[in-house]
Amino acid sequence: MTTEYKTIIKDGLWENNGMLAMLLGLCPTMAMTTSATNGLGMGLATAVVMAASGLLVSIFRSQITQEVRIPVYILIVASMVTLVDLCMNAWMHELYKVLGLFIPLIVSNCLPLARLEAFASKEPPAQSLMDGIFMGIGFTFALTAIGAVREITGSGTLFADASLLLGPAFKFMEMRILPADTGILMMILPPGGFLVAGLMVVGKRMLDVRAGKAIQMGGAHSAA
Amino acid sequence: MKEHRTMVHGVILGIFCLGFGLLLAITNSVTAKDIAARALEDKLNSLGQVIPDSIHDNNLVKDAITMKNDRDKEITVYRATKEGKVTGLAYEIYGTGYAGEIKLMLGIDAQGKVLGVRVLAHKETPGLGDKIDVKKTDWILRFTDLSLGNPPLEKWKVKKDGGQFDQFAGATITPRGVVRAIKEGLEFYDAHKAQMLEGH
């Protein structure tokens, strides 16, 4: 079974978006979207792990038997997370100081696991790598969007500290939208996360309805 | 027959565990030296922020003693010396924040005046309590040059508690914990001065 790249890209970015359609990975979504920069960092780290573990599972898909597949997937995801964590700590230390916080959280994210089960275990390596990358980018997009809304309404800034994550060249992204101390505190606390994420899901469905598409009941187990 | 098949699954899982375990062990041994070097750099960096380079001519990490703090925790006291005389001390202090422990590095001179304080690790709410981090706001810099008599002891509190230090909008517990940690840190020096300056 092979899925066309076009479908993989469209599914990952929008149609079957990990967060907005499948509602997976809600734990890191709520915890890490207090600012757009945090959302972006968490999303990118997740994308790297998803691409690597998707590729590995796909390569070994005929060796992994049905009965032990879940422990093997967890093993692969956890190994990739640890690998990324160690290598970044050693060789990309500045970035690690910012992203280091997010990396161990990826293990508790059910999105990589769901994609391994639904996609990588059935598709060839190239497709699985693409699926991991684009599901990861779609997740990054959703997290950054939620983070941006929460940050603007909660702290009045946008992409604060982006230069810590992306390097000094990205200083221009750091903006103050509202004057200091006008933010609604609740938005950067957990209730704000649920509110904004919920509204985003509604927004996506409304856009889909307007485009005349039947509402796709997103599910972790829709293979494509 | 069924038992035989169960065996196969176990073996497959075992092989995967062995393979990935090996991969992680190799990565660990390759990165271990670099990670240790980075950790030392970080430590020197944070020490450099609380002890100015100009006041010492020794290696802070080399001239260190371990002591037990009031919470019965082992802490390392780094000593800055110039021409054999102790000019400053830096040690970890601990406060209780909104979401657990806040770890800070306190640097003082031999008279007990604060040279600098920096947050090393905390779990406070992003956007609220994390303003104690120098990367977010310069709140923590206001402690520089203060000591136990300046301000007077009863003013070593946040404004809400009748002291002189600003809390943040929406976060009082975090700054309260930090102020208390610094005050306790200074009192610790006061009580153990002799031991901390010993040998110099």
Side-chain angles (χ1 to χ4, degrees):
Chain A
M1 189 165 75
T2 43
T3 313
E4 270 185 69
Y5 288 127
K6 220 178 109 193
T7 324
I8 295 176
I9 295 171
K10 237 170 67 189
D11 267 335
L13 295 186
W14 183 258
E15 300 286 338
N16 202 17
N17 185 293
M19 195 273 134
L20 295 175
M22 291 194 279
L23 298 185
L24 285 173
L26 288 181
C27 170
T29 303
M30 298 305 160
M32 295 323 308
T33 56
T34 49
S35 74
T37 309
N38 277 0
L40 184 68
M42 180 73 204
L44 289 178
T46 310
V48 171
V49 171
M50 282 187 75
S53 51
L55 181 66
L56 278 172
V57 164
S58 177
I59 290 171
F60 292 117
R61 70 187 188 284
S62 48
Q63 277 83 46
I64 302 169
T65 54
Q66 189 71 7
E67 283 79 356
V68 292
R69 68 190 196 285
I70 302 290
V72 172
Y73 296 162
I74 295 176
L75 178 74
I76 289 177
V77 174
S79 301
M80 287 305 109
V81 169
T82 316
L83 205 76
V84 170
D85 191 79
L86 286 173
C87 291
M88 271 183 79
N89 193 352
W91 299 309
M92 290 182 270
H93 196 65
E94 286 310 308
L95 192 61
Y96 179 79
K97 277 193 219 159
V98 187
L99 270 185
L101 188 70
F102 309 115
I103 295 169
L105 279 174
I106 301 170
V107 184
S108 67
N109 189 338
C110 44
L111 181 59
L113 208 60
R115 290 318 289 171
L116 296 183
E117 166 77 3
F119 196 96
S121 60
K122 303 177 183 116
E123 304 263 349
Q127 270 77 8
S128 301
L129 181 68
M130 286 290 278
D131 181 70
I133 292 172
F134 281 96
M135 273 288 160
I137 294 176
F139 190 61
T140 309
F141 156 70
L143 257 59
T144 313
I146 297 171
V149 174
R150 289 179 71 186
E151 194 184 346
I152 292 171
T153 50
S155 326
T157 55
L158 184 60
F159 283 110
D161 303 321
S163 56
L164 290 182
L165 176 70
L166 301 166
F170 288 85
K171 194 90 192 160
F172 71 91
M173 279 169 75
E174 299 178 12
M175 284 175 271
R176 173 158 284 288
I177 310 283
L178 300 169
D181 292 330
T182 49
I184 309 160
L185 184 57
M186 192 189 74
M187 297 308 285
I188 46 175
L189 295 177
F194 283 98
L195 259 173
V196 177
L199 289 173
M200 288 265 172
V201 173
V202 172
K204 180 195 182 288
R205 296 215 166 172
M206 280 171 72
L207 283 176
D208 283 349
V209 168
R210 188 168 298 173
K213 274 181 247 168
I215 295 263
Q216 183 181 343
M217 287 309 285
H221 290 272
S222 52
Chain B
M1 187 61 196
K2 187 137 194 287
E3 267 163 41
H4 174 69
R5 250 193 280 151
T6 315
M7 273 283 286
V8 170
H9 302 311
V11 169
I12 288 173
L13 184 58
I15 291 172
F16 272 101
C17 286
L18 207 67
F20 281 96
L22 209 65
L23 182 69
L24 288 184
I26 293 168
T27 317
N28 184 41
S29 62
V30 170
T31 54
K33 242 173 84 191
D34 285 311
I35 290 176
R38 295 295 101 77
L40 189 67
E41 272 168 33
D42 280 355
K43 186 142 240 175
L44 280 173
N45 263 336
S46 70
L47 282 173
Q49 290 186 339
V50 297
I51 300 267
D53 281 339
S54 56
I55 69 159
H56 68 95
D57 52 14
N58 66 327
N59 184 340
L60 292 175
V61 179
K62 284 211 176 109
D63 197 351
I65 51 169
T66 44
M67 288 178 72
K68 268 219 163 88
N69 72 2
D70 297 337
R71 295 183 186 204
D72 225 28
K73 214 171 195 158
E74 288 262 330
I75 54 163
T76 311
V77 178
Y78 301 94
R79 295 195 284 197
T81 59
K82 194 165 197 174
E83 286 150 14
K85 268 178 67 184
V86 175
T87 48
L89 296 157
Y91 46 98
E92 280 163 15
I93 53 172
Y94 298 86
T96 310
Y98 180 72
E101 194 178 74
I102 305 171
K103 197 165 136 190
L104 305 110
M105 180 69 81
L106 172 68
I108 54 170
D109 68 10
Q111 282 73 47
K113 196 176 81 182
V114 175
L115 293 170
V117 197
R118 290 295 181 279
V119 177
L120 296 179
H122 72 86
K123 297 189 196 71
E124 303 305 290
T125 319
L128 287 177
D130 67 350
K131 292 189 182 121
I132 53 173
D133 195 332
V134 77
K135 279 191 211 111
K136 311 273 172 173
T137 70
D138 55 9
W139 183 82
I140 197 88
L141 299 179
R142 68 188 55 208
F143 293 97
T144 309
D145 288 339
L146 301 183
S147 59
L148 270 189
N150 167 38
L153 215 53
E154 66 273 13
K155 285 284 180 188
W156 272 94
K157 287 173 189 157
V158 291
K159 280 193 176 144
K160 206 172 187 171
D161 301 336
Q164 79 153 36
F165 300 102
D166 284 316
Q167 58 266 15
F168 312 129
T172 311
I173 299 171
T174 311
R176 186 185 281 154
V178 172
V179 172
R180 220 181 124 184
I182 297 170
K183 183 178 156 227
E184 282 175 3
L186 293 172
E187 284 168 348
F188 178 75
Y189 175 66
D190 223 30
H192 301 90
K193 213 175 198 166
Q195 193 188 344
M196 290 166 93
L197 299 176
E198 199 173 280
H200 280 284

